Amino acid sequence: QVQLVESGGGLVQAGDSLRLSCTVSGQNFGHYVLGWFRQAPGKEREFVGGVRWSSGSTYYSESLKGRFAVDRDKVKNTMYLQMNNLKPEDTAVFLCAADSHPPWSYAQRSATDYEYWGQGTQVTVSS
């Protein structure tokens, strides 16, 4: 079992930056891929980016690559999502998730492939 806890959300203005954290605990997750997803009201859960815990390799949604960056700190057992130049359309609940059986060369983009989820943190971007 793996537990995930997100933090760092809030209300920001368009153009601002925000850094989210996802603290991981539980059984050995060294081979996992951890991912960030977001879900806006009335929309499906969307893959934002992720990181392979063992190697630090990162993966991104093509539409968000360049503004968003994922990294992880193995000492703190924490994954981060750095979000820059935020836009009102980025408003969503951001969730972190863990895939315990990831493909060896890429990260899954579908939420159904992730077994463990945090509770989410709200990000609201005002215009």
Side-chain angles (χ1 to χ4, degrees):
Q1 193 76 3
V2 172
Q3 293 78 43
L4 306 163
V5 179
E6 304 94 335
S7 61
L11 173 62
V12 298
Q13 293 186 334
D16 285 352
S17 297
L18 201 60
R19 185 173 172 86
L20 305 182
S21 300
C22 172
T23 301
V24 190
S25 61
Q27 67 187 43
N28 183 18
F29 49 85
H31 63 285
Y32 288 18
V33 163
L34 300 187
W36 284 103
F37 287 78
R38 67 182 184 181
Q39 189 164 22
K43 295 188 176 181
E44 292 188 354
R45 200 162 286 187
E46 175 190 20
F47 178 77
V48 173
V51 62
R52 189 171 301 272
W53 194 259
S54 57
S55 66
S57 297
T58 54
Y59 312 89
Y60 296 99
S61 164
E62 285 302 313
S63 64
L64 298 174
K65 191 175 183 179
R67 290 197 300 125
F68 290 11
V70 178
D71 63 358
R72 57 94 172 96
D73 184 324
K74 296 179 78 173
V75 174
K76 295 182 179 179
N77 281 350
T78 301
M79 173 178 65
Y80 302 98
L81 178 64
Q82 177 68 41
M83 304 184 291
N84 299 321
N85 189 24
L86 283 162
K87 304 175 181 180
E89 52 264 40
D90 293 319
T91 295
V93 175
F94 282 73
L95 308 102
C96 64
D99 178 0
S100 65
H101 296 89
W104 68 274
S105 63
Y106 63 95
Q108 308 276 20
R109 262 63 171 174
S110 172
T112 57
D113 290 310
Y114 290 74
E115 298 97 322
Y116 305 103
W117 290 85
Q119 81 288 349
T121 185
Q122 176 70 45
V123 173
T124 303
V125 185
S126 64
S127 57

